Amino acid sequence: MVRSWDDKIFNTIVYVILGLCGLAAILPILYVVSVSITPFGEVLRNGGFILFPREITFSAYRTLLTESNIPSAFRVTVLITVIGTAVNIVLTGLMAYPLSRKNLPGRNVFLLMIVFTLLFSGGLIPTYLVVKSLGLLDSIWAMILPNAIWSFNVLIMKSFFEGLPEELFESARMDGAKEFRILLQIVAPLSIPVLLTVGLFYLVGHWNEFFQAIFYVTDRTLFPLQVVVREILMQSQQPLENAENMMPTQTMQMASVMIASLPVIIVYPFLQKHFTKGMLLGSIKG
Amino acid sequence: MRKVYSLILTVTMLGAMLAGCSGGSGNGNNTGGNTPPSDASQPSNDAAEPTGEASGKSIKLEVIETGNNLPSPDKDMIKQELDKALNIDLNLTVYPSGDDYKNQLNVRMASGNFPDLFMVDRQQLIQFSKQGLLLDLTPYLDKLQKTVDFIGEDSVKKGTVDGKVFAVSKSPQIPYNTYWIRKDWLDKLQLAVPTTIEELAKAAEAFTKQDPDGNGKPDTIGLTGGKLGAFGPVFGAFGVGGPGTFYEKDGAIVNSLYDPAMKDALTFIQQMVAAGSVDPELLANSGLQHQEKAIKGQAGIVYLDWPNMTKEQFVEQIKTVNPNAEWLQIAAPAGPGGQFDGTWDIGASPGRFAIPKALEKDPEKLQRIFDLLNYISDPAGGSMLVQFGVKDTHYTLEGDVPKMTDKAGEVGHSWLYQFTGRPEMEYLQAKFALQSKEIQFSNDQPRIETLGGFIDNPEGYNPADGDRYIEEEFAKFIYNKRPIAEYDDFVKTLESSMNYKALMDSATEQLKALGFGG
Amino acid sequence: MRTGQLETNAPRMQPASQTKLQSALKAFWRFRAFYVMLLPGVIYFIVFRYFPMYGVIIAFKDFSIMDGITGSAWADPWFKHFQAFYESPYFSQLLTNTLLISCYKLIWGTFPPIIVAILLNECRIRWLKSIVQTLTYMPHFLSWVIIFGILLTLFSQNGGLVNRWIVEMGGESIPFLTSTEYFRSILVGSEIWQNLGWGAIIYLAAMAGIDPTLYEAAKVDGASRMRMIWHITLPGIRSIIVLLFVLKLGHLLDAGFDQIYILYNIQVYPVADILDTWVYRTGLQQLNFSLASAVGLFKSVIGLILVLGANRVAKKWGESIW
């Protein structure tokens, strides 16, 4: 009896705090959505603040989807994201797995080499020269290969692999399974949560890609989504240089943000069910 | 112990790699320097363009600059017309963020992957030209006659470093800024349009305290604007320029910080602030926040350019918020030092375009760039095209005066192709026919002519630190966090700690050399 | 063949070192599959990360674009650009601000995502969990320009919602965004808000790896939910917490350029100007690559020392990165 009473209090606390967190996140988001579908004059009339729009217009979305480069940029972004994330996951997994074996000779050297790159980089110009000499300029590969592996994600994945029970590997080795097969058939299925997490990090990274695009790509047809969105957002931060300069309204800015982030936001709920506590490991062991 | 060992190993590995790399890239860079780097980059361009070089065929030109809203090539009528007229394939890339643009240009210059024509600021112009990256245009000036005629001698000087022309500077612009005031608020409070700074301060105070919008709430402010610029005409009324500006006064070169009237101006502004009649977040206004405050009906006086107040888009917004709102453009208020609507830098350039030195080796391409520059500068050639679009499609001529048609929106980006500028007044009058009165008005205002654009920062002076100190201390004076009695101490610290003396000496010398100050 | 030659050339070679070499080779052979797996990654790191690293030498040179990185003349003295940085009148203020803002973010920013992850993990209502998880994840996709807009509508001194409310309650409006008192709190708060759900993802993944039989056993023993969190959940994600903390330490001198650059203004410079914003104004805007590089190198070296030190401490708890 006492137990369930405690449980109820505990649950209530959990729900209240989570509810507050949700509220803190949703109000500003609601504001972004509302502004994006309200005529800008209306926004200003309300002192710039609107939570529930009274007058709805999708004209900002229509303009962005028909008159800007967003549709073609969208295709580029999807392409980079899909190819890029696949490349990332394969390379990161191949690196993280051997490094998770604590008895691998030279392991510390490799790990230190990875940590080192988290802190030191050669800078823009030499990296540009590498990309240029590999002939990657003005291709989608210039937005994929220079960041093919994030040191951070290797370390995360490695740390997860280390947490897998040792018996798994021993029994597999006794079966005479080769390392590649162990990685593919035993480690990978058991590491779905981390693969998805790291995959999500990479995916979001590619989706938000603009830095490399700005440097390595001059062909406008290869510009990804965020470059176009950034163009819209940055204009509001620049001083007036030309009378013709059309400043995008806040409505337009918010709409561009919505278009650019909605697809990645939608992905997340689909991944969530794979984070359920102990599901996979339990089923194998049990 | 093992960690130390592996650390050493990593470092050795690194060292070996560095040694290997620096050798390799050294070669790469030397080729970039000695032999024309275009050799490295050109073949790829030509490969992409099979018709290149062959004969009088189309040549691909790459131009980069800051800008925005460039349509894709298939929708870009200006590009198509220029391509047709000059037998080129003009590939323009624009960067909305000035920083992104700078970084892009720098890496491309460093890697020998030069664009054929690119925008530079004064700092880049000096550095690039000193490093031998830019083509000296002086020997080619006769080939650029039409361009030179179009931009004028003064603009040629703005692209000059050490007597050599390294860039084509756009033809000069005209000032856009003035004070704007809510006429309906003045009427409601029965105030006259302010003509002196005292009246301005009074109106601002009344706007803050007497509820001009009649909603019963103390939610209005008097004056707003972008940072200290909001006080431009107030400084002007004391005959001083904004903090740190150089100008001529009574035949001598003066820096506003040393101008005796500066203290009076500061005192006046400090009193305005103390009366609560100035936007408390004035110094934090970035982008167009002050304009937004004005449109929202929060502020009654704003220092703003006419496009951001009178373009249809904004007029509509103002009317949506309050159909009775009426913004009036007013002349600079008078004060003890005269009547000046802020400052206007006569040394500044609206934009400069340079050509890489590497193109020396490619006379055919170089000629096309000259053709392009001359064509868009030629009133009988393409000048009208880059200003107004295609004749009889986007504009019609009524006598000599161009009139925009309703298809003009298609070439709203034509300004991106005005590499040599435009005849500013005529252009604006035609393109913004509805605003012609306001354009004329702001152009007619007297302004203190400042000389900052002629001054290059000397070695040993860090403008980032200096500017910060000036801005910070001015903020303190204005908000009465530091008594104005300490103004002289401020200048002393500026000279000693921030090495402002070095700037003063160098600036005076530079300006004297150009014939200013007697 | 090669071993034979070695023997003839150095007949008196100690057998000890030979067996060492041999055992090393043997080990290498035993782990060959692992090295093959590492190969693509190592090639990547060498080509894209280590090869360009010669670029750091521009910190010691007077970089000229024309002469390139290797061709530019060495700075005289070699520490010239470090000196320029050190001699800025703002040096100590910049360093203090950077460290303070960064430490606040580290201290206040580490726990909220962990707490949210634990709460989500404990949440028994599936729809609530899913909704909160998604909602808190969304702010990560708003850029600082947009967040600045949101902050303005909330905290602006004239017309900001919070101030409107304060004034209506009869108080004085508070300059949240322009006073030195509140600005750092705004920085830290908005960063926590932005990364609450995003930061929780990784802990949730770690919790998914905890063996559920542990919880079942604890339940049988009559352990309370709090006890299970303390004795099972937290230890289960300990290695990830340590890993993230150590890596964050490495970036202690990055206090968040993007955020501060968008949010700050002249009145809060004394508490908000950090190394990166100063470098931006001084180095990049004035094309002084060498100065920017010198400060970058300084930051990296400090970061490396911190990471090495933190890893050593972590090792004592058995949670080192390497």
Side-chain angles (χ1 to χ4, degrees):
Chain A
M1 252 353 252
V2 180
R3 180 85 187 275
S4 79
W5 181 237
D6 275 355
D7 231 33
K8 259 184 200 151
I9 295 178
F10 186 85
N11 278 339
T12 315
I13 295 173
V14 168
Y15 301 149
V16 167
I17 300 178
L18 282 181
L20 288 177
C21 289
L23 206 65
I26 199 174
L27 286 178
I29 303 284
L30 203 61
Y31 162 78
V32 172
V33 176
S34 301
V35 171
S36 80
I37 53 175
T38 304
F40 190 56
E42 195 57 34
V43 176
L44 289 173
R45 183 159 48 181
N46 286 285
F49 184 77
I50 281 189
L51 263 197
F52 303 102
R54 256 166 284 160
E55 195 182 321
I56 291 181
T57 166
F58 289 96
S59 68
Y61 289 88
R62 208 172 309 127
T63 313
L64 287 172
L65 290 175
T66 55
E67 287 169 31
S68 75
N69 299 327
I70 282 189
S72 82
F74 200 91
R75 278 193 293 275
V76 175
T77 293
V78 170
L79 196 66
I80 303 176
T81 306
V82 172
I83 300 178
T85 309
V87 171
N88 292 144
I89 288 289
V90 171
L91 288 180
T92 309
L94 280 178
M95 240 194 148
Y97 175 57
L99 295 178
S100 70
R101 309 284 84 215
K102 293 203 160 140
N103 53 353
L104 179 79
R107 174 176 177 268
N108 282 354
V109 179
F110 288 113
L111 282 174
L112 212 61
M113 165 174 153
I114 290 170
V115 171
F116 194 77
T117 59
L118 269 176
L119 301 165
F120 289 85
S121 90
L124 210 52
I125 293 173
T127 314
Y128 182 90
L129 289 170
V130 168
V131 175
K132 184 182 167 228
S133 62
L134 292 175
L136 298 178
L137 291 183
D138 263 329
S139 75
I140 60 160
W141 296 105
M143 296 177 261
I144 293 174
L145 292 182
N147 263 336
I149 302 178
W150 296 4
S151 314
F152 177 78
N153 284 351
V154 177
L155 295 174
I156 298 282
M157 217 189 253
K158 175 220 115 193
S159 160
F160 274 85
F161 287 164
E162 278 172 356
L164 294 172
E166 194 57 39
E167 314 94 78
L168 267 175
F169 301 101
E170 273 154 24
S171 58
R173 278 196 194 100
M174 266 177 236
D175 295 347
K178 288 279 182 255
E179 293 299 342
F180 278 95
R181 260 184 42 210
I182 296 180
L183 175 60
L184 214 64
Q185 293 177 349
I186 297 172
V187 176
L190 282 176
S191 312
I192 300 284
V194 69
L195 289 178
L196 285 178
T197 306
V198 168
L200 182 69
F201 289 167
Y202 278 128
L203 181 140
V204 168
H206 287 299
W207 193 268
N208 289 339
E209 162 62 37
F210 76 85
F211 189 78
Q212 299 173 92
I214 287 173
F215 285 109
Y216 305 142
V217 174
T218 50
D219 181 353
R220 286 182 74 77
T221 56
L222 286 179
F223 276 168
L225 200 50
Q226 300 295 344
V227 173
V228 182
V229 172
R230 189 175 150 84
E231 186 166 336
I232 293 163
L233 292 185
M234 287 312 289
Q235 276 176 56
S236 62
Q237 297 297 305
Q238 307 279 318
L240 178 107
E241 274 160 4
N242 246 298
E244 296 93 328
N245 218 339
M246 283 296 266
M247 193 70 81
T249 61
Q250 218 179 343
T251 299
M252 201 70 114
Q253 292 180 25
M254 298 300 187
S256 71
V257 170
M258 288 307 297
I259 292 177
S261 44
L262 214 53
V264 237
I265 290 175
I266 289 171
V267 169
Y268 189 48
F270 291 102
L271 301 181
Q272 280 168 12
K273 61 169 186 274
H274 298 287
F275 293 101
T276 315
K277 182 166 62 185
M279 187 180 74
L280 293 147
L281 204 60
S283 67
I284 296 277
K285 275 189 109 184
Chain B
M1 214 36 230
R2 266 186 76 179
K3 203 172 349 172
V4 176
Y5 171 71
S6 48
L7 179 68
I8 293 170
L9 219 126
T10 316
V11 171
T12 347
M13 241 168 74
L14 239 174
M17 239 175 277
L18 288 185
C21 303
S22 27
S25 77
N27 292 339
N29 267 306
N30 286 342
T31 20
N34 300 336
T35 56
S38 56
D39 282 359
S41 63
Q42 228 114 2
S44 64
N45 279 351
D46 290 343
E49 183 58 68
T51 47
E53 303 249 323
S55 56
K57 288 266 169 152
S58 161
I59 289 186
K60 191 169 177 171
L61 294 184
E62 208 199 339
V63 186
I64 63 172
E65 63 175 340
T66 57
N68 48 55
N69 292 327
L70 179 70
S72 57
D74 55 309
K75 289 183 198 148
D76 186 348
M77 307 271 285
I78 308 281
K79 171 196 152 57
Q80 290 163 14
E81 292 295 320
L82 285 172
D83 284 357
K84 233 189 312 177
L86 297 164
N87 197 14
I88 52 175
D89 178 12
L90 185 55
N91 188 356
L92 177 66
T93 309
V94 299
Y95 295 83
S97 145
D99 296 332
D100 292 348
Y101 174 74
K102 254 187 196 178
N103 280 325
Q104 164 79 12
L105 181 61
N106 290 331
V107 289
R108 290 193 62 170
M109 296 306 270
S111 66
N113 186 13
F114 306 115
D116 301 312
L117 185 67
F118 48 88
M119 194 183 223
V120 285
D121 60 22
R122 180 79 193 162
Q123 192 83 29
Q124 284 168 319
L125 178 69
I126 294 168
Q127 289 212 6
F128 290 164
S129 64
K130 289 206 167 130
Q131 293 172 14
L133 289 160
L134 303 183
L135 182 68
D136 178 6
L137 299 174
T138 326
Y140 301 98
L141 282 181
D142 52 330
K143 286 192 181 172
L144 281 166
Q145 197 53 50
K146 278 188 180 133
T147 306
V148 172
D149 291 345
F150 182 74
I151 64 174
E153 274 307 315
D154 281 344
S155 289
V156 174
K157 269 185 211 149
K158 289 174 189 169
T160 304
V161 178
D162 292 338
K164 288 180 182 161
V165 182
F166 282 104
V168 173
S169 176
K170 288 186 181 186
S171 56
Q173 281 190 328
I174 56 173
Y176 293 171
N177 283 309
T178 53
Y179 270 142
W180 295 80
I181 195 163
R182 278 288 288 268
K183 182 75 173 50
D184 53 321
W185 285 11
L186 283 176
D187 292 345
K188 180 158 189 290
L189 303 178
Q190 293 173 333
L191 292 165
V193 175
T195 54
T196 64
I197 48 171
E198 284 78 19
E199 286 170 15
L200 181 86
K202 225 175 89 192
E205 194 174 347
F207 282 173
T208 312
K209 294 180 178 158
Q210 297 177 23
D211 192 23
D213 59 356
N215 68 353
K217 286 187 207 158
D219 57 356
T220 49
I221 43 179
L223 171 71
T224 190
K227 310 211 164 75
L228 279 179
F231 296 111
V234 176
F235 282 119
F238 287 90
V240 297
T245 48
F246 286 87
Y247 43 88
E248 279 183 305
K249 205 173 193 177
D250 306 324
I253 297 166
V254 181
N255 177 310
S256 67
L257 296 178
Y258 294 86
D259 194 321
M262 182 53 103
K263 266 191 256 184
D264 303 334
L266 265 181
T267 313
F268 187 85
I269 293 169
Q270 190 258 312
Q271 283 161 359
M272 268 184 91
V273 172
S277 42
V278 178
D279 179 1
E281 283 165 338
L282 180 87
L283 297 178
N285 283 342
S286 62
L288 276 179
Q289 279 168 33
H290 48 299
Q291 180 228 27
E292 221 172 83
K293 285 175 184 170
I295 295 179
K296 273 194 232 169
Q298 285 181 338
I301 308 171
V302 62
Y303 191 61
L304 195 61
D305 53 274
W306 59 262
N308 275 314
M309 189 54 106
T310 58
K311 276 161 79 171
E312 287 88 309
Q313 183 192 3
F314 303 121
V315 171
E316 197 192 305
Q317 287 170 11
I318 292 167
K319 292 293 169 198
T320 314
V321 176
N322 180 356
N324 300 322
E326 188 190 348
W327 283 97
L328 182 72
Q329 192 179 26
I330 62 169
Q339 193 179 6
F340 295 100
D341 211 330
T343 56
W344 181 248
D345 192 337
I346 56 170
S349 161
R352 302 173 177 86
F353 281 85
I355 298 170
K357 184 163 173 58
L359 274 191
E360 222 170 21
K361 303 271 159 62
D362 191 348
E364 201 179 348
K365 194 175 208 176
L366 192 58
Q367 187 55 48
R368 295 291 171 99
I369 297 172
F370 293 159
D371 290 347
L372 172 67
L373 292 175
N374 286 331
Y375 184 70
I376 58 172
S377 308
D378 184 1
S383 180
M384 293 300 267
L385 172 70
V386 295
Q387 288 184 63
F388 308 112
V390 180
K391 196 183 167 212
D392 296 329
T393 306
H394 303 120
Y395 73 98
T396 52
L397 273 184
E398 286 179 10
D400 265 354
V401 184
K403 250 192 101 146
M404 305 309 293
T405 67
D406 37 336
K407 276 190 138 183
E410 275 178 21
V411 289
H413 66 287
S414 69
W415 58 280
L416 294 169
Y417 287 93
Q418 295 160 358
F419 308 130
T420 55
R422 60 207 185 192
E424 190 75 6
M425 199 59 183
E426 296 87 336
Y427 173 77
L428 291 176
Q429 293 284 5
K431 220 155 193 182
F432 299 94
L434 286 174
Q435 290 83 11
S436 72
K437 205 174 77 192
E438 287 84 2
I439 297 170
Q440 192 67 50
F441 187 90
S442 43
N443 188 38
D444 291 346
Q445 294 306 304
R447 308 203 185 231
I448 296 176
E449 294 191 336
T450 56
L451 310 168
F454 295 114
I455 302 164
D456 302 327
N457 285 315
E459 187 107 356
Y461 171 67
N462 180 354
D465 285 347
D467 289 349
R468 176 185 158 176
Y469 186 68
I470 296 170
E471 270 185 71
E472 225 168 35
E473 298 311 301
F474 264 67
K476 285 184 194 158
F477 289 132
I478 288 171
Y479 286 98
N480 206 13
K481 287 182 180 152
R482 185 173 180 181
I484 294 173
E486 287 178 22
Y487 185 85
D488 294 330
D489 297 336
F490 148 71
V491 176
K492 225 174 272 165
T493 315
L494 183 65
E495 280 181 354
S496 56
S497 300
M498 306 292 160
N499 209 6
Y500 206 67
K501 196 95 186 66
L503 174 72
M504 284 304 294
D505 294 344
S506 161
T508 316
E509 195 183 320
Q510 289 178 51
L511 291 175
K512 283 230 164 89
L514 290 170
F516 291 104
Chain C
M1 175 68 198
R2 186 173 264 180
T3 349
Q5 229 171 8
L6 232 150
E7 267 167 39
T8 44
N9 284 354
R12 248 170 263 167
M13 209 177 186
Q14 292 100 322
S17 76
Q18 211 179 56
T19 44
K20 225 178 195 171
L21 182 77
Q22 266 174 352
S23 67
L25 282 174
K26 224 182 222 166
F28 181 81
W29 186 246
R30 200 154 64 86
F31 288 96
R32 64 193 181 279
F34 286 137
Y35 292 113
V36 172
M37 285 183 197
L38 280 172
L39 195 64
V42 170
I43 291 175
Y44 162 78
F45 273 99
I46 290 174
V47 171
F48 285 102
R49 299 294 181 88
Y50 279 94
F51 185 88
M53 248 178 225
Y54 69 93
V56 300
I57 62 173
I58 69 172
F60 306 102
K61 291 194 156 194
D62 288 326
F63 179 62
S64 135
I65 285 183
M66 182 69 182
D67 300 326
I69 291 164
T70 45
S72 294
W74 291 101
D76 178 38
W78 63 270
F79 51 82
K80 178 172 148 191
H81 303 292
F82 294 89
Q83 196 177 16
F85 165 50
Y86 178 75
E87 279 175 357
S88 163
Y90 293 111
F91 173 78
S92 57
Q93 191 191 67
L94 294 168
L95 205 58
T96 319
N97 284 344
T98 310
L99 284 172
L100 275 180
I101 294 173
S102 204
C103 285
Y104 290 152
K105 282 183 177 172
L106 192 64
I107 293 165
W108 294 108
T110 301
F111 299 106
I114 298 177
I115 293 169
V116 166
I118 290 174
L119 291 176
L120 285 170
N121 201 43
E122 293 295 327
C123 184
R124 296 285 178 268
I125 309 174
R126 272 177 86 180
W127 62 264
L128 181 71
K129 177 180 172 176
S130 178
I131 286 181
V132 172
Q133 207 175 336
T134 310
L135 284 178
T136 51
Y137 158 89
M138 279 155 72
H140 179 77
F141 295 92
L142 299 180
S143 59
W144 283 110
V145 177
I146 296 290
I147 295 179
F148 181 46
I150 295 172
L151 287 173
L152 274 176
T153 48
L154 286 176
F155 296 113
S156 168
Q157 204 176 345
N158 33 15
L161 279 188
V162 175
N163 272 318
R164 250 195 263 178
W165 185 71
I166 291 176
V167 171
E168 257 161 48
M169 303 297 277
E172 278 277 304
S173 67
I174 299 171
F176 289 107
L177 298 169
T178 51
S179 86
T180 48
E181 276 167 74
Y182 299 94
F183 194 73
R184 283 186 189 142
S185 309
I186 296 272
L187 287 180
V188 176
S190 58
E191 171 133 328
I192 292 175
W193 175 76
Q194 194 201 26
N195 274 312
L196 198 58
W198 179 255
I201 293 176
I202 197 161
Y203 298 115
L204 283 167
M207 288 173 198
I210 296 174
D211 186 349
T213 52
L214 293 175
Y215 290 102
E216 277 151 32
K219 228 183 244 165
V220 173
D221 292 347
S224 72
R225 301 260 297 271
M226 278 310 277
R227 278 184 74 86
M228 286 196 268
I229 292 173
W230 190 255
H231 290 291
I232 303 172
T233 313
L234 279 175
I237 60 172
R238 190 173 75 167
S239 61
I240 271 298
I241 296 177
V242 171
L243 172 68
L244 291 188
F245 192 82
V246 171
L247 294 184
K248 271 192 195 164
L249 267 184
H251 292 283
L252 198 70
L253 292 184
D254 298 328
F257 172 79
D258 289 341
Q259 181 199 23
I260 295 175
Y261 183 66
I262 300 272
L263 297 190
Y264 77 167
N265 57 70
I266 191 73
Q267 278 159 290
V268 296
Y269 270 30
V271 294
D273 201 11
I274 55 167
L275 293 179
D276 287 344
T277 46
W278 182 83
V279 165
Y280 170 81
R281 294 198 310 270
T282 307
L284 297 185
Q285 285 200 324
Q286 295 163 46
L287 291 186
N288 193 340
F289 292 94
S290 292
L291 180 70
S293 182
V295 178
L297 194 59
F298 169 77
K299 280 168 48 189
S300 299
V301 169
I302 302 281
L304 185 68
I305 292 169
L306 285 172
V307 167
L308 291 177
N311 193 57
R312 168 159 289 199
V313 174
K315 202 163 206 171
K316 287 194 182 135
W317 305 331
E319 295 289 1
S320 68
I321 302 181
W322 60 83

